[in-house]
DNA sequence: AAGTCTGTTTTGTAGGACAAATAGTCCGAA
DNA sequence: TTCGGACTATTTGTCCTACAAAACAGACTT
């Protein structure tokens, strides 16, 4: 047993927590749909047997997630939640554990590789043109690297081509994490780019060309290669945490 | 201009919303780290110029995300947030728009394809054995399909092999969505399995064998093929939405 | 029929009171 | 001295009341 297992969880469930649960149960059991209206606060509080303030603290949480909307006089209605609403607010690399950061980086790499078949499927003339413009504007810095802005602009366009709003949002939410990682693991990343021949690392330009004239499979492999340095980083840093 | 552009957004930002923002700003500006303690509620409310009830509604949101912890007498402390905390609560396929559901399905497919290099990298003898056990227990139903439980058990093990807690959690949170999709798009899925020769659809058994004796590239391609029916579903249903 | 006014309902905000938990202190006994 | 128990002060948790603000509904006016 490690010291981690000894810590007191102290999950002293508060009344607000339970009310929040109850509300969600209530929505599900009554099969409420977006647009359906809820009882007013006073009634709800009475039905739940709690003070209005407690009810409102629970409702406040659901409002943050977009599940509940309210307007004076009109009352409260259910709505389709913004599942990323909470994440958007609290994503801050500064306060995240190293392992958590690596998890997110890993997830990003996974998404970029996994989405490449869809990017290839959805590509249009216009997309290719835009990508070419982005690539043409890129200015190479030291060690064949790009600025963070240029780097992310290119990848953002690829995300856009998935046509998947959730994924696009996810990329935006994760963005600060990569900036942070590039800063804090720059040594490992630099070492890798210096010791790996450029030919083994497809540039953005190469990717566009393959997307344009190659096959879906070639594109995915190239993306995989393009992201290889993160494989390297993940492999090296996850190891450390285990020890 | 479509009718969608006419709707009243009514983003009447409430005081609680602004206090929530202010708190997050305050945390960032003061570079608070997990473990650091916050001023007590009365002081905070005074500093913000709002009633304690309002402050508490804002804090309640941050507590839901795990960013703030509180204990009587001790006070409040900052903690590393659970970025999926909000999502976990409100993920309910019943109330999600079709496009949103497809986005999630798409994301799952993307993750499963993208994670296959990592699954291959991380595989151990023990993992293979477990997978073989899972596959051996599987009972084929009509049309070469499996029960939802068996299906998800196999894939869950693959997620586990990524060693990425965030991704494992994400899979669990998404699980209800797939159940829902399998129910509601069963016609399309059944049609596909009926009209596509079994040889073109790698079974779980095939996947394990490739994972065991094949290459990383073969494994990824097999995963891609295994998920092909979802490509089919996504292609067909996303189309509809556009019209 | 159209616009205006007024009353009423419901959420939004404020503030006070007390309960419950518990860290810290002090005191007394082994 | 050290341990334990009682007390105290502090802070969050819960309840309650009051009023402000928004906006729907219906009556009333022109």
């Amino acid at each position: 047993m490690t010291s981690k297992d000894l810590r007191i969880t102290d999950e002293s469930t508060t009344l607000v927590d339970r009310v929040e649960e109850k509300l969600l149960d209530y929505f599900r059991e009554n099969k409420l749909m977006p647009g359906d209206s809820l009882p007013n606060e006073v009634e709800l509080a009475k039905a739940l047997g709690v003070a209005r303030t407690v009810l409102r603290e629970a409702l406040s949480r659901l409002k943050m997630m977009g599940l509940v909307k309210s307007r004076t006089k009109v009352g409260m209605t259910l709505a389709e939640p913004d599942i990323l609403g909470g994440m958007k607010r609290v994503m801050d690399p500064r306060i995240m554990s190293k392992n958590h950061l690596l998890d997110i980086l890993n997830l990003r790499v996974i998404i970029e590789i996994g989405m490449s078949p869809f990017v290839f499927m959805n590509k249009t003339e216009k997309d290719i043109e835009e990508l070419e413009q982005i690539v043409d504007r890129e200015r190479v810095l030291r060690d064949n690297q790009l600025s963070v802005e240029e780097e992310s602009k290119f990848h953002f366009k690829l995300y856009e081509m998935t046509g998947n709003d959730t994924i696009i949002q996810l990329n935006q939410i994760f963005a600060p994490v990569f900036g942070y990682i590039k800063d804090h693991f720059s040594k490992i990343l630099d070492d890798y780019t210096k010791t790996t021949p450029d030919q083994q690392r497809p540039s953005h330009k190469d990717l566009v060309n393959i997307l344009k004239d190659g096959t879906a499979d070639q594109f995915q492999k190239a993306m995989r290669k393009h992201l290889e340095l993160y494989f390297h980083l993940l492999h090296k840093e996850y190891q450390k945490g285990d020890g």
Side-chain angles (χ1 to χ4, degrees), chain A:
Chain A
M1 189 194 284
T2 71
S3 67
K4 219 179 180 181
D5 298 313
L6 293 173
R7 77 180 183 289
I8 297 155
T9 49
D10 191 25
E11 284 301 329
S12 60
T13 168
T14 172
L15 192 51
V16 176
D17 292 327
R18 278 173 281 159
V19 169
E20 183 204 325
E21 270 290 329
K22 279 263 190 189
L23 285 174
L24 291 170
D25 288 347
Y26 168 77
F27 297 162
R28 282 189 283 262
E29 279 168 22
N30 292 68
K31 298 192 194 307
L32 295 189
M33 296 295 286
D36 289 355
S37 60
L38 274 51
N40 70 51
E41 293 182 353
V42 182
E43 275 184 49
L44 261 183
K46 201 189 287 177
L48 288 159
V50 299
R52 200 176 145 219
T53 46
V54 170
L55 170 65
R56 279 183 62 85
E57 284 184 32
L59 284 170
S60 180
R61 297 178 175 183
L62 306 185
K63 285 177 191 172
M64 176 177 68
M65 299 301 296
L67 182 64
V68 169
K69 301 266 183 212
S70 60
R71 283 174 63 200
T72 48
K73 171 72 182 179
V74 180
M76 292 182 289
T77 55
L78 213 68
E80 185 182 350
D82 173 13
I83 61 169
L84 302 177
M87 194 188 297
K88 209 178 307 175
R89 288 165 160 86
V90 301
M91 181 72 71
D92 179 356
R94 265 190 47 259
I95 63 175
M96 288 166 69
S97 73
K98 185 175 159 188
N99 260 310
H100 204 167
L101 284 175
L102 293 174
D103 278 359
I104 305 269
L105 174 63
N106 186 214
L107 180 52
R108 177 179 124 124
V109 172
I110 285 175
I111 290 177
E112 295 215 4
I113 292 174
M115 78 186 188
S116 48
F118 293 98
V119 170
F120 194 90
M121 265 173 51
N122 296 347
K123 69 175 177 180
T124 66
E125 294 278 345
K126 192 160 162 299
D127 291 327
I128 303 284
E129 274 172 35
E130 271 185 62
L131 283 170
E132 281 172 338
Q133 275 184 21
I134 291 169
V135 170
D136 282 346
R137 283 203 210 95
E138 288 176 352
R139 289 277 156 265
V140 173
L141 308 177
R142 63 186 164 72
D143 298 329
N144 217 7
Q145 289 189 18
L146 300 172
S147 71
V148 178
E149 292 77 31
E150 288 175 334
E151 185 72 44
S152 66
K153 190 176 260 180
F154 180 81
H155 286 265
F156 179 76
K157 176 63 190 167
L158 293 181
Y159 279 91
E160 227 177 37
M161 288 170 67
T162 63
N164 185 321
D165 289 338
T166 303
I167 291 182
I168 292 169
Q169 270 193 71
L170 214 50
N171 177 43
Q172 287 168 335
I173 293 170
F174 286 169
V177 175
F178 312 133
Y180 184 88
I181 284 178
K182 281 192 180 166
D183 277 3
H184 283 69
F185 297 97
S186 57
K187 187 170 172 353
I188 295 178
L189 294 173
D190 285 354
D191 282 356
Y192 181 85
T193 51
K194 272 181 208 153
T195 59
T196 307
D198 286 354
Q199 302 94 293
Q200 288 189 31
R201 295 184 289 115
S203 66
H204 288 173
K205 194 172 184 54
D206 297 332
L207 289 173
V208 177
N209 287 334
I210 295 171
L211 184 59
K212 194 175 175 184
D213 302 318
T215 67
D217 197 52
Q218 287 170 335
F219 181 62
Q220 178 156 339
K221 278 195 184 129
M223 279 296 285
R224 164 97 173 61
K225 277 270 177 221
H226 180 69
L227 298 167
E228 186 73 33
L229 79 167
Y230 295 114
F231 277 72
H232 178 70
L233 172 62
L234 286 165
H235 186 68
K236 237 177 143 161
E237 292 298 315
Y238 265 136
Q239 292 288 71
K240 267 196 220 171
D242 294 341

